[in-house]
Amino acid sequence: LLSYLTISTSFKMTSTVDNKSKIDCSKVYVKKSTFSNDDTGDFDGAFSVENIKEGTLIERGVVRRLPDGFDGNTCPYIFTWSEERPNKIWGMASGCAPFYNTCKEGTSNTKMTRDFKNDTFEIHAARDIEKDEELLHTYISLGWRTCFKELNDIVYADEAEEKKN
């Protein structure tokens, strides 16, 4: 878990992967996010290595469940790992998945499918994606996890502004 907090350099995961591998993130690399700025500070994002067609598998991986009692509401670097609400199961994902940043629902360029029974996931292109485009998906817990309160406010700031007017 600490490695997610301390990684600040760009890296690219490459491999010769066949269908036997549980983890494949060879279409993704990580570098400073396009959303980093003076207000947010520097943070990383996931980017496409190549042009990717809608529906294409971008990444697959495994999730390791965290011990009972872990509070994912305080740590943004782990995944909600059940459909139960309030969520009590949290997981740490392999590959580049922890570096996909979030966006408003309906605007993401990827879709993550979670297999809670087998502790695996797949990320597919929700639309055509250009080479070097930042990969985004809407966090399923964006609206209710306390660690995402500020992030949720940023993502939906335009809607809050519209409601004021």
Side-chain angles (χ1 to χ4, degrees), residues 22-23 115 119 163:
K22 291 183 177 183
I23 301 169
D115 181 341
D119 290 334
K163 286 180 184 179

Side-chain angles (χ1 to χ4, degrees), residues 27 29 46-50 52 129-133 135:
K27 290 183 175 89
Y29 68 97
F47 293 80
S48 61
V49 168
E50 60 196 18
I52 301 171
I129 299 171
E130 294 183 20
K131 180 182 179 187
D132 300 318
E133 184 176 342
L135 302 172

